Every structure is written in structure tokens, then in C-alpha cells.
Amino acid sequence: MATAVKTKKYVFSFGPNGTDGDASLRDLLGGKGANLAEMTRIGLPVPAGFTIPTTVCTYYYDHDRTYPPELRGLVDAAMTKVEQEMGTTFGDPKNPLLVSCRSGARESMPGMMDTVLNIGLNDTTVRALAEASHNERFAYDSFRRFVQMYGDVVLDMKPKDKEDVDPFEALLDAKKKVAGVQYDSELQAGHLKELVTEFKAAIKKQTGEDFPEDPMDQLWGAISAVFESWMNDRAIVYRRDYGIPSEWGTATSVQAMVFGNLGDDCATGVALTRDVALGTPGMNGDYLINAQGEDVVAGIRRPQRIEESLQSAMPEAYAQLLDIGQKLELHYKDVQDLEFTIQRGKVWMLQTRNAKRTGFAAVRIAVDLVNEGLISKTEALTARRIPADDLNQLLRPIYDPAAKRRAQKEGRLLAQGINAGPGAASGQICLHAADAEEAWRNDPHVELILVRRETSPEDLRGMRVAKGILTAFGGASSHAALVSRQMGKSCVVGCSAMDIDYHAGTVTFDDKVLHAGDFISIDGFTGEVFLEQIEERPSEVIRVLIQKDLKPEQSEIYPRYAQLMSWVDEVRRLGVRTNADEPEQASEAIAFGAEGIGLCRTEHMFFHHIDEFREMILADSLEGREQALAKLLPFQREDFAGLFRAMQGRPVTIRLLDPPLHEFLPQAAQEQQQLAKRLGTSVESIARRVEELEELNPMLGHRGCRVGIVYPEITRMQARAIIEAACQVQQEGVDVRPEIMVPLVGFANEFIDQERIIRQTAAEVFKEQGGAIDFQVGTMIEVPRATVCADQIAAHAEFFSFGTNDLTQTTLGISRDDYAPFITHFRENDIIPNDPFQTIDRDGVGELMRTGVQRGRKSRADLKIGICGEHGGDPQSVMFCHQLGLNYVSCSPYRVPIARLAAAQAVIAEEKTPS
Ligand code: PEP
Ligand code: MG
């Protein structure tokens, strides 16, 4: 929190007469405050206001929730300035100024923190507002919204769980019933006036306090509520998910209100300068005539689409909006997400920010902006534009077209909503976020569609565990839509044909009544909702690259993906290999851009020849083992030859047998009997051997190179199979580059022992065959001792590959197989920032890796070093590997594109912040 004391400027003003902030002050003013200042600076219509910077938020929490003493005076002065600019006065009984108070952190956290609108209204000013606007209904509507919002946000009256009733919503519903109307906008001034009184009584009843009439008290209540909301549960969860440090704090922007609810020449809306689901060009968004901002986002009324009807409804305002959108895209060189209000035909800008987008849209927009000349290729590749993990979405399933057509023919199409987050998702209906969480805790593989009238930030945890989201209300920029897109979930919103009864636990589509637990399928690309499950199919990129049943030119996204990946490869320096044990996996990985195999786990190959393998393990003499190994040799040779053929001259790192042997033996009596029969031996001898091999700590037992050292015949067989296969494939005219890797080495002598066997065996094979091939012998670095003694090991090993799964396990002393029950607790309580088995623990494991790299290269300057633990496909870890100077990362085939992009992003980040 050191920055809190560095700047003493506690208020930054903006308005038609100028501003003392700009976009570069994002850390201080938050995204919202900085962009309000910037829009003012470039001459766009922004109502006057001021921003209290993030430093005040950190001060607030550092000083027992109090403010810097001078802040009060500064806010008073800033309010006077706003009054002068707007020509109205806060609390004035004749011509009152009303303001809003909004949160805004450095990184946008949509819907996570609080906002209060219409501050300044009380029993006196409401009458003045009615007179000034010649619209009593508008004035009382604003007032009742304010009292409600104040109660919810400042006085903390929001429902706390699904059983809680929102007193304001209940009163509003009752009033609509009495008035015989469906929508809030149909209530008359008299009804609204009554509601204000009823709302205030509800506040008094629930909190014991009167609603504050003094506008300045209201303002300070709102400012504190915004700062308090930085520490609410949903903001904390969001920060944890998106790696936002809590030290950043939020800024608070206070701004003069403009009104979208003065009549039919007024509107409010949110616009996107391009489509953020698919990335197609053209302004689009939601608006509501005669309404206030939160109506659009809250999803209470179904909004109209800007691209469909705003031009005809309000041609002049539409032209202004289009012009503003273009100016902003050019200025920010990115797609903008705008909040605007049209007051009596004039557009006012309340916010602009770089729009959140799906992975699809991120790729399309970035590539299109380069092709439009707005940004450079390097800029297109930045993590800010395309978070590497978002490429996952391009590799996401779609519905099998035939299965979908069948569902349509069978009349299973239930309804059509708005397509808010692409992707196919079939799952069981779940009506409450809390139930979704519970179901997920009981079964992490459960597939749920969270079905809600609309979602609110309280639903965040439930949304995270759901496979898809379906809502009855709201538009493409409602909370459900925004959050799902960001999470990369399939999402359909505004499905108004759907009627949800939370108490009965039912969802009704016309005459079809579904219950929680029933299966439905949503298509986030089209907005369709279907009864029951529909078979899913891989993405277009997968179809072009892997299934090859779609031509590149038939796909919208594939050509852009390909263009982007070609830029990626121009920039990155880190190699990307794959972990693969079968030729098919290897071919898929090549299609994704893999440059070699970084890890072939030979034990996986034995699953196809399990009986012979078990015979080898069960043998209690060298002779018996060698007999079984002789049976295994041809299988292994064929498997390796398949890999060499698939890899076409690319390096193939083959690891010798690693896991504890007993893992392969049958534990159940029945299975032991069957095996005894097949091998022609007694069940007693099998049971005895199983017992002999059992270990209390198998991960720290007789595994890795320890097996090959005690049973050198196993290493000999594997080395022979590799070298023979390599010779065979080379004779077929295909280049081969075998790299034989010894697992779990801690002592140089372990490596020396195994290397000797490998090289002797290779020499024998070459002699037998009268030829030779180039090959390397190297080691995994996966126990701490190996990193510390890397210089001794590198004196013999030609390459290293960090096995960060085991290195994490052995460094942290946390079992990789048993950590699930406590890791969530650890993360939620900020004990550790990430799951260390997914993202490298830089301070611990990372430092050991650094030692390994330095010491290894000290004794062998050209030592090739890679990583083949799961971290090799995690963007943050890939960036770290780049920084360490590794030669390559190796990951599962579907993560290869992600690792490639992350590797390019590492170079770009390095160039931006030279060390
Ligand atoms: C590792 O430990 O990181 C590794 C790649 O080996 P395995 O996961 O097979 O133990
Ligand atoms: Mg390992």
C-alpha cells in the first residue's frame, strides 16, 4: 500500500470546462474515472463530476475505515465546481443537482461493486425536480429508485440468501398488482409517491434508522458504500479469480445525473462498437426508452436492440452515438463498451471501456484491427487483447448438426433466447446458484445449466460451476451475458417464453413443465433452447485441423486463428512440444503446432499389453523377467516406430519406465484369479507378489530410475526398442530424432548407471544392424536434489526436462494425488494464490528451477532444457519458463496453441518492460 501515501491529490474533477485527469491515470482513477476524464479531454459530451482516487480507498482500509482529514473540504469544493458547470445546486429546493456515485477499479470488475444513483433527492428536492422537469411521474420514479438503492446498497438491506425477500421488490410487486399493471413504467406518479413512503417505512422497520434527508449525508453514505463494496464477498471472489490484488482499491466517481427517463425522447443503454460474442463489425447493444441505466443491466425489462431499431426510433441520437463510437474506437484502438443516456434527444456518455469479449471475438477483433491498420501484429498478440487461455473457446464443442436437426424435427426446440455466450452445453436444470455449488461439491463432474429469471453478482459462485447459463430476462449486456462471456460459458439470455417458479422448482415452456434435474441443451451460438441432451461436436478449428471435415475457407474463425498463430510463431522464442504417447495424439499435436514430443510416458503404452507387462513384474527371477521382456520388445518397438513416423523428423523424447510397478497389478481377488489363469500360474503366487510390491509411500518408493537400476534388463529392453524402432523408421526414409529420458534422477550416479546401459544397448543394435543414428540421453529434473546438483548431472546428461508435477510434489511435500480436499480452502483463505499443480509456485519450485538451469548450464553451456509437467500448458507458467531461458515447454495437444500464444506474449511483455 506504499502508493497510498505517495499522492496527496484526493479529488480529480472533469466536466465541460476541462479535466485534471486522463486515461493514463487508470491506477489512480480506476478505469471508469480515467475514461470519463479522457472522454472529456477529447471533447465528448460527459456530465460534470469528480473522481476520488484509489489511494483514498487504500487509506480508508489502512486507517480503520476513515478518510484523510482534508477529503471533506476537497469534496465540498469539487461539488461546487460540478454545480457551476451544470448550473444547478445540490439540495437546492428549486433547481436541484442530482449525482450518481460509482465504483471503478483499475481492472473492470463488472457488477462486483456498488453504484448509487439519484443522490440528492429528498421530500423537498423531489418536488422541485417534478416542477423543473414538468414531469411528476419521473421525479417520484427517480426518488423511489433512489430510496430503494440506498436501502439495498448503503443500508445493506439486500436479500442475503434465496429465502430472503427483498422488501422493496415485494412492495413494488404489490403496488403493480393493486394498480393492475405489468411493468414498473406503467405505475403512475401517485403510486410511486406511495411507494416512496412505504420504502422509507421499510427502511425504518428493518434498520431502525430514518432515511437521510440531507443530500450531503446521502453523498457520504454512498461514497462509503462504494469503498465498502471493494471488500464484499463477490468482489473478493472475482479478484481471486482474475488475479487482481486487493491492494489496488477502487476509485469512486461522483457525477451529475442526466436522465433517460424524462419521457419518450429519452433513453438509456449500453452499446458495443463490435459484436463481442463473435467479433463481427457493427455497433450493437441494448437500450430502453424512458428508463434509467440500471434497468438495462439488471435485466428487469427486455431491452430493444440498438442495431435493429434505434435508428428509426431516434435518428439523431443514433447518428450521435455512431459518431461517438467511431471516435472512441479510433482513440482507444479497441472495441468499446459504452454506457450512455439520451436526455431529450442528446447523447451523454457515462462510461467507456475496452469491451470484454469471448475468445472467438478476441481473435477475430484482434486480427481484424490489424487488417484495418489500427493496431500492430505485436499489439494484437498481447495478453490484454487475447488472454492465452481464451483460445480454449475456439476449441470448444458445438452441437452435432445432425443431432441438432433431429432435435428440431422431434419438436424438442423449446424456445429461442438471445445468444450471449457461444458454445454448446447440455446439462441438468439447476435453479439456484447455491444448489449448483452444492451439487458441484458432491460431484465435480456434474453438468448443470443454471436457469434463472436473471442473474445477479450473488450468483457468481454458482455460475462458475455451471456448464451453461440460461435466463428469462435481460439482453446481450445483462449481468448473465457479461459474466458468462468472461467465464467462457455457453449462455442464452432473454428467453422470455420461459416461466420459472423457484418455489415449485419448475421451468415452464408453453405446456411443457420441466423440473430441476431435467436435462436441457442450450446453444450459445444461436440462442436456442432444447429439451434433453444433444450430442456435442468439436469446434470449427478442431474440425478443420483434426477432423478435417471442414475446409478452412468454410469457416469464419479458422482463417483468423491461422493468421494469428502465424504471427505468434514469428514472435515467440520458446519452443512448444507436446506430451503424447500415441501416434494419433502426436498427429493432433502437430496440427496444433507442436514441434516435437517433450514427453512420451512409456508406461502408458503398456496398457495395451498389460498381461505381458504383468508377467514381467510378477517374475521373481531374472530369467522370468527376461522372457516377459522379450515378449514386450516387439510391441514397444512398434509403438515407438509409430511415434517416429507421426513426428516426421521432429524430436521425440521417450521416458523410461517411471511409476511404481505394483500400480499395474490387479488388487481384487477375482482379477488376480483371472490373471493367474491367463498366465498359467497360481493365484497365491500372484497375491504374494502383489503384497511384496506394495508400498506405504509409492510416490517416494521404488519408482523412476530406481526401477531400471535394480532391474537393468527393463532399461535394456526399452533402449533396444527405441533404437531398433529409430533404425527401422530411418530405413523407411523418415528422419528420426530420439531423445531418451531417465526419470526421477537425484544423484548423478543414477543417471550414469542408466546412461551406460542405454549407450551399450545402442552400440549393440548399431553393430547388429550395421548402421547408426543420432540420439541423445538426458534426464528429468523432478526432485529438489536434482536441481541443486544440476551441475553434476549435466556433466553427463545432454538435456534436462523439468517434471514439475513431481518437483512440486517433492518440494512442497504435498501429495499430487491427495491435495484436492484442502486446496480450495487454501485458495479461498489466501494461503496460496494459485493451485501449485496448475501454475508454477515461482517462489519455491520456480527458484529451484532457476537453480537447476543456472547450475546445469554452468557445466554444459548448450544444455537443452524443457518442461513436461502439467505447467507446460499454463500461460503464467509458460511465461515464467520463457523468463528462465528454457528451450521449450511441452503440454497436452489441446493446450499447444495456448502455450504458443503465451510464449509470444512472454516476449512482448519482456519488450514492454525491459529488465
Ligand atoms: C512430472 O513429474 O512432472 C512428469 C511429467 O512426470 P509424471 O507426471 O509422469 O510423474
Ligand atoms: Mg514425474
Side-chain angles (χ1 to χ4, degrees), residues 655 658 703 744 780 782 803 805-806 816:
R655 182 181 71 186
D658 178 29
R703 59 168 290 215
L744 219 72
M780 302 224 15
E782 49 186 345
N805 303 333
D806 274 311
R816 56 195 270 192

Side-chain angles (χ1 to χ4, degrees), residues 579 599 601 603 655 658 699 703 780 782 802-807 816 868-870:
N579 294 356
L599 174 63
R601 290 178 166 102
E603 59 272 14
R655 182 181 71 186
D658 178 29
M699 272 296 181
R703 59 168 290 215
M780 302 224 15
E782 49 186 345
F802 283 107
T804 41
N805 303 333
D806 274 311
L807 189 58
R816 56 195 270 192
C868 60
E870 281 311 295

Side-chain angles (χ1 to χ4, degrees), residues 10 35 37 158 175 340 360 369 492 560 571 625 757 781:
Y10 288 140
N35 285 334
K158 250 186 235 154
K175 191 62 68 189
F340 63 92
F360 280 96
L369 289 179
V492 173
R560 290 179 172 88
V571 172
R625 255 190 314 278
I757 299 172
I781 299 291

Side-chain angles (χ1 to χ4, degrees), residues 777-813:
V777 188
T779 181
M780 302 224 15
I781 299 291
E782 49 186 345
V783 296
R785 191 179 198 282
T787 64
V788 178
C789 300
D791 47 346
Q792 298 167 20
I793 297 170
H796 306 275
E798 289 171 298
F799 65 88
F800 280 180
S801 179
F802 283 107
T804 41
N805 303 333
D806 274 311
L807 189 58
T808 301
Q809 170 166 261
T810 47
T811 302
L812 273 56

Side-chain angles (χ1 to χ4, degrees), residues 480-665:
L482 283 181
V483 174
S484 312
R485 272 201 298 269
Q486 214 177 320
M487 288 180 172
K489 305 247 177 217
S490 304
C491 178
V492 173
V493 296
C495 184
S496 47
M498 174 172 80
D499 192 19
I500 303 173
D501 185 335
Y502 288 130
H503 284 284
T506 56
V507 186
T508 308
F509 298 87
D510 284 333
D511 55 348
K512 277 228 161 50
V513 183
L514 305 186
H515 295 84
D518 289 347
F519 277 94
I520 53 167
S521 299
I522 61 172
D523 188 336
F525 292 103
T526 62
E528 292 159 300
V529 181
F530 290 92
L531 189 62
E532 297 167 6
Q533 285 161 293
I534 301 179
E535 197 184 318
E536 291 166 16
R537 268 260 203 113
S539 75
E540 281 189 9
V541 173
I542 301 298
R543 292 187 57 201
V544 173
L545 286 178
I546 308 296
Q547 296 187 184
K548 301 193 180 5
D549 62 352
L550 187 73
K551 293 200 177 77
E553 60 276 15
Q554 288 171 319
S555 165
E556 271 290 323
I557 195 67
Y558 178 77
R560 290 179 172 88
Y561 163 84
Q563 196 168 19
L564 183 91
M565 296 314 286
S566 74
W567 300 338
V568 161
D569 290 345
E570 284 166 22
V571 172
R572 74 184 163 94
R573 294 200 294 275
L574 195 59
V576 178
R577 296 191 186 184
T578 194
N579 294 356
D581 321 310
E582 291 176 4
E584 198 180 325
Q585 286 172 5
S587 305
E588 282 181 2
I590 291 175
F592 287 130
E595 296 155 315
I597 288 182
L599 174 63
C600 161
R601 290 178 166 102
T602 46
E603 59 272 14
H604 288 184
M605 297 167 147
F606 290 127
F607 284 123
H608 302 300
H609 316 291
I610 192 75
D611 277 355
E612 292 80 358
F613 191 56
R614 283 171 168 173
E615 188 184 333
M616 188 273 290
I617 299 169
L618 290 166
D620 46 15
S621 67
L622 172 64
E623 201 189 353
R625 255 190 314 278
E626 285 195 323
Q627 266 172 21
L629 285 167
K631 289 186 201 164
L632 283 169
L633 175 67
F635 297 133
Q636 283 257 285
R637 189 171 49 221
E638 224 9 75
D639 286 343
F640 294 138
L643 277 187
F644 290 135
R645 286 188 200 105
M647 294 309 289
Q648 296 282 314
R650 295 175 182 84
V652 177
T653 309
I654 297 170
R655 182 181 71 186
L656 301 180
L657 190 64
D658 178 29
L661 295 181
H662 79 96
E663 261 189 22
F664 295 88
L665 292 180

